[in-house]
């Protein structure tokens, strides 16, 4: 059973508690497949390697940059044979389109990796469903839900706040009322606040750092 990590974006080094948890869970450091988030094709792997993993003392023997510069076969092999997988942040819908076009949805599930890490858009796409309205490249006045990887049986929301802050085209109150609460009638949603992260092992959600809320049946509970 793989261990899954869900969190938002970090501009600098990972928070100490998150770095320590990842360092403990990542035992096999033979290779990591870093999956593109549909932005900054020259930057994303460098950020993952040198800003997040390296400062946390997590150094792999091989780093595979999985993006459109690779053939589909090479991308699938890199993911299937990786000891760890990291889905970077970026744009949720284009990332999911890339994952499906390259057959990485199947490769991720068949991979021998013991851990899958999702950062921002990557974390959204690890869940079962996602609301595309919150993606800055796919802003819409309509509620549109698409199917994601389904590594866990819930949806994920990052940068969550009960305060009325603006999130792209929507403020927090509209996002919660018009999108998250209706979706929570169909599926549980785990939401992380700024800097927060949680891990899932054998279906059990464990808060690693920060504020994490469960939105279920139109009710919001801090866990």
């Amino acid at each position: 059973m793989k261990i899954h990590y869900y969190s938002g974006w970090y501009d600098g080094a990972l928070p100490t508690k998150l770095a320590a948890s990842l360092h403990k869970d990542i035992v096999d450091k033979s290779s990591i497949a870093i999956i593109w988030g549909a932005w900054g094709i020259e930057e994303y792997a460098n950020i993952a390697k040198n800003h997040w993993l390296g400062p946390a003392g997590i150094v792999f023997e091989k780093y595979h940059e999985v993006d459109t510069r690779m053939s589909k076969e090479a991308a699938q092999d890199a993911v299937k044979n990786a000891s760890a997988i990291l889905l970077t942040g970026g744009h949720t819908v284009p990332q999911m389109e890339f994952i499906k076009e390259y057959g990485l949805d199947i490769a991720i599930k068949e991979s021998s990796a013991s851990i899958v890490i999702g950062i921002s858009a990557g974390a959204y796409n690890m869940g079962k469903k996602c609301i595309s309205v919150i993606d800055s490249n796919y802003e819409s006045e309509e509620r549109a839900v698409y199917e994601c990887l389904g590594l866990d049986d819930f949806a994920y929301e990052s940068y969550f706040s009960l305060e009325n802050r603006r999130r792209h085209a929507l403020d927090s109150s509209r996002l919660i009322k018009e999108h998250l609460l209706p979706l929570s009638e169909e599926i549980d949603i785990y939401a992380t606040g700024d800097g927060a992260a949680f891990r899932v092992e054998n279906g059990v959600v464990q808060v690693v750092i920060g504020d994490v809320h469960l939105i279920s049946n139109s009710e919001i509970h801090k866990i």
Side-chain angles (χ1 to χ4, degrees):
M1 178 66 71
K2 293 180 176 62
I3 296 173
H4 302 152
Y5 275 80
Y6 294 78
S7 77
W9 181 267
Y10 299 101
D11 286 324
L14 299 176
T16 301
K17 287 184 178 180
L18 175 57
S21 184
L22 286 169
H23 198 282
K24 180 180 178 181
D25 281 337
I26 302 175
V27 177
D28 184 352
K29 300 181 179 66
S30 56
S31 70
I32 183 170
I34 305 172
I35 298 178
W36 184 49
W39 71 278
I41 202 163
E42 301 294 340
E43 305 172 60
Y44 77 96
N46 175 65
I47 292 173
K49 178 181 178 181
N50 298 317
H51 292 229
W52 298 335
L53 299 174
I58 303 170
V59 179
F60 290 86
E61 296 175 20
K62 295 180 181 180
Y63 295 82
H64 298 286
E65 302 177 12
V66 182
D67 54 45
T68 54
R69 294 173 295 183
M70 301 179 76
S71 68
K72 293 180 181 180
E73 292 76 14
Q76 292 170 17
D77 287 343
V79 171
K80 286 181 180 179
N81 296 319
S83 57
I85 298 170
L86 191 154
L87 288 84
T88 64
H91 305 299
T92 55
V93 174
Q95 183 185 53
M96 198 66 227
E97 290 172 347
F98 165 69
I99 288 172
K100 289 183 177 179
E101 179 185 351
Y102 269 61
L104 302 181
D105 47 345
I106 297 173
I108 291 170
K109 293 175 182 178
E110 293 181 349
S111 175
S112 56
S114 60
I115 185 168
V116 182
I117 306 162
I119 302 289
S120 193
Y124 279 102
N125 283 327
M126 283 169 54
K128 189 172 183 179
K129 293 186 177 183
C130 183
I131 304 172
S132 63
V133 71
I134 60 175
D135 192 302
S136 59
N137 275 12
Y138 285 76
E139 292 176 357
S140 170
E141 290 299 316
E142 298 179 359
R143 175 170 166 266
V145 178
Y146 69 92
E147 298 293 324
C148 302
L149 289 169
L151 301 188
D152 292 293
D153 195 25
F154 55 73
Y156 172 73
E157 170 68 22
S158 189
Y159 318 110
F160 179 76
S161 175
L162 291 172
E163 299 177 359
N164 195 21
R165 301 187 304 184
R166 193 163 183 81
R167 171 89 167 99
H168 296 313
L170 301 175
D171 59 34
S172 299
S173 61
R174 278 193 62 198
L175 177 63
I176 293 171
K177 181 179 179 180
E178 299 178 15
H179 301 283
L180 297 181
L181 293 183
L183 181 59
S184 77
E185 293 291 335
E186 305 171 23
I187 186 173
D188 287 348
I189 305 170
Y190 283 91
T192 56
D194 291 343
F198 65 87
R199 70 192 288 277
V200 182
E201 184 176 9
N202 295 323
V204 178
V205 174
Q206 176 188 11
V207 177
V208 176
I209 185 173
D211 293 337
V212 180
H213 288 81
L214 169 62
I215 309 173
S216 180
N217 294 317
S218 294
E219 294 185 356
I220 302 174
H221 305 279
K222 184 177 178 180
I223 62 172

